[in-house]
Structures are given as C-alpha cells and as structure tokens.
Amino acid sequence: MKALVYKQPGDVRIEEREIPAPKPGEALIRVAAAGLCGTDRHIADGSYRGAPGIVLGHELAGVVVEVGSGVRDLTVGTAVGVDPNLACRACERCRAGKPHLCANAQAVGVTRDGGLAPYVCVPAELLAPLPAGLSPVHAILGEPLSCVVHALDRAEIKPGGRAAVWGLGTAGIMMIQLLKALGQTRIVGVSHHEDHRRLALRAGATEVMTQEEARIGLEVDLAVEASGSPSAFGPAFDALAPGGTLLVYGVMNPEDTVALKPEAMFRKELRIVASYVGPSTLDRALSLLSAGTVDAELLLGDRLSLGEAREWVLKQGPRRKAKAHVIFEHEEAMP
Ligand SMILES: [Zn+2]
Ligand SMILES: [Zn+2]
C-alpha cells in the first residue's frame, strides 16, 4: 500500500508499505478517509514534534477488518472513528484524571502510524463506533471537533453571551456552529479571507469582520483565538468585556510571544484559558456530527490524492478549501 510518511523536517514522502498486522490490543482499520490539518504542516516543518518514519494522518475513520489478541467488545465490520491520543495511564497526570496531558503521550499520526494510508493498526481503546447513519467520510471531522468540544467545555460558555472567533478554518467554523447551539446571541467571525467570512455566515455567525474591523469597538464575553497567528492574540484580548474569557486554541510556533496588558486583565477580571486536545470527547463530537448540529458538508473541502496531500503538508501547490482530505477507494473484499 502507498502511505504518506514523515521522514524529517521538510521531508515527507509517499512510500510503499506492507499492510500491518494488529498486535495484541490493536485493531486493523481499513481507512475510509483521513483529514489534513495544520498540525500535519507543523509536524512536516519540524515545529510540532512527530516521530520520523511514521505515516501521517491523525483525523481518520474506517472499518475494523481484523482484531489482535485480547481485543473484546469490537467486532470485525464495525465502522469506527479514532481518538488519536494514547495515554500511558501510569504517569502523575494520567492518575490525576488528565490523560490528554499525559507525560508519555503517544498519538496516531504523530508518534505512531496514522491514517494517510489505506490501512492502519490502532489500539482498540482509541476506537469509537460511529453513530448509525454517520458516514465515515463525515466522521473524519470527529477528531478536530472533539478538540473544539473540549475547548468550549473549558471556556464555560453561558447562554445569551456574545462571542467572536479569530481564524475561520475548520476549527473556527466548528466553533461558530457550536456557539450558535450554545445560545450565543452575537457571534462574530473574524478573518482576512473573504471565502472564510462567507462560510462563517452560513455556519451561523451573526456578523463577520476583517481583522482590521475587529480592532475597533468590538466587545464580547468570549474571544476565541483560533487562527494560530500571534497577531490575532492582542486584538482578541482587547475585545473582552469585563468578566470575559480569552480562549487560546490556535497552534502557534513555540518561539512566538505576545504582549498583554495585566492592568486591564486585573481591572476587568479577565480569564485566559487554553485547550490542547480533547479527552474523552470523541463520542460527543460524533453525536454532534450525526445530529447535524455541526454540518459536515459545510466543513468538508477539497478531496486530494495522496500526492496532493504531500504537497499540501509541505505548503506547496494551490491553496485548498478546508477541510482538505483523502478518501481511499477499496475493493469490497477483505485484505
Ligand atoms: Zn488535526
Ligand atoms: Zn500518562
């Protein structure tokens, strides 16, 4: 099979691989589709630590075709989504009930083989059966949505509030759909991309702005930084009403810094919360997709070949409509 492999910073290749055999506790997944995301680009350029030699792809869904020894409660033929984050269950943070902050965390498509290949072996504990009627292609949105669900849990949103989202990529558009479902009365989408602003309006934003427009007079209870750009951090912070919350969501580079105004933070009793990955939120994310609360069709963008996915990850080739993804065609026969 052909797989998209991260070799080292700046080097991502399509390689020929054997279909893997499941080890004890693992399941072999026939991958239906895998999504591409900014994290893949950060792995490819070396700013997010991935293990050299792994197959990329942490947003995937497919069908169980074989299970390793010791796997119970999982039958061959089950359509599943994947929580890529594997905790050690032994470190202090795991024991404190925060497995997503595990000191020895492994992740599918980051430190072990992922879903940008027709088959992948995944620990069975990371698999979630898809709700009836949810297509595996739509289910690739389960992983990014599980992170967004966790972020909005962390933000402790109150119905009737006002919110603004900087950065209207996949996560930003998901945020807007959930903020609407959570009863926010003013939802502002902020982006310098016109097509992203249009999509935000379709997703439920009550208004959209450019970054320049959002610098003037905007006041919200929740400001979400989902652009991954340090330049959005200050304006998002400045837009907070007294008692407001800044939610740090976008992935920035480790060396990025921002300036804050501690006096405003003190006087207005502002809160800054950050959110990393979603612990145990995949099932809720899949339910939200299945129910249509988050509209998968609105979010799925360009379908790419594996070669185009390689270009995208290396920031070559044309700009793609998010969520760019790869769909794998399979014969009906088992491997
Ligand atoms: Zn991702
Ligand atoms: Zn741990």
Side-chain angles (χ1 to χ4, degrees), residues 87-91 93-94 99 102-104:
C88 75
R89 310 271 168 206
C91 73
R93 297 175 213 166
C94 280
C102 172
N104 312 305

Side-chain angles (χ1 to χ4, degrees), residues 136-147:
V137 175
H138 288 181
I140 65 171
L141 297 165
E143 190 279 332
L145 184 57
S146 74
C147 298

Side-chain angles (χ1 to χ4, degrees), residues 40-53:
D40 297 309
R41 287 182 158 181
H42 285 286
I43 294 169
D45 71 17
S47 60
Y48 191 102
R49 186 130 43 97

Side-chain angles (χ1 to χ4, degrees), residues 90-247:
C91 73
E92 201 174 312
R93 297 175 213 166
C94 280
R95 291 200 314 275
K98 293 182 162 50
H100 59 301
L101 302 178
C102 172
N104 312 305
Q106 300 284 313
V108 172
V110 181
T111 64
R112 54 178 291 150
D113 284 343
L116 281 162
Y119 293 89
V120 60
C121 284
V122 175
E125 66 181 271
L126 299 181
L127 302 177
L130 301 189
L134 180 63
S135 88
V137 175
H138 288 181
I140 65 171
L141 297 165
E143 190 279 332
L145 184 57
S146 74
C147 298
V148 168
V149 166
H150 175 57
L152 295 182
D153 282 350
R154 298 262 301 151
E156 297 172 11
I157 291 155
K158 296 178 184 70
R162 303 157 295 173
V165 180
W166 277 256
L168 301 173
T170 302
I173 297 297
M174 287 174 169
M175 294 269 183
I176 283 176
Q177 295 187 68
L178 287 183
L179 288 167
K180 185 182 174 195
L182 289 163
Q184 301 304 286
T185 51
R186 186 184 186 194
I187 305 170
V188 184
V190 184
S191 171
H192 56 261
H193 294 299
E194 215 236 313
D195 55 335
H196 287 189
R197 292 198 299 272
R198 253 185 283 127
L199 192 59
L201 288 171
R202 286 175 60 201
T206 56
E207 62 204 282
V208 289
M209 295 181 179
T210 64
Q211 289 177 334
E212 291 69 35
E213 287 164 344
R215 284 174 187 274
I216 308 154
L218 179 62
E219 188 177 82
V220 290
D221 305 299
L222 173 71
V224 182
E225 198 316 281
S227 73
S229 162
S231 66
F233 203 97
F237 179 86
D238 289 341
L240 289 175
T245 298
L246 174 65
L247 174 60

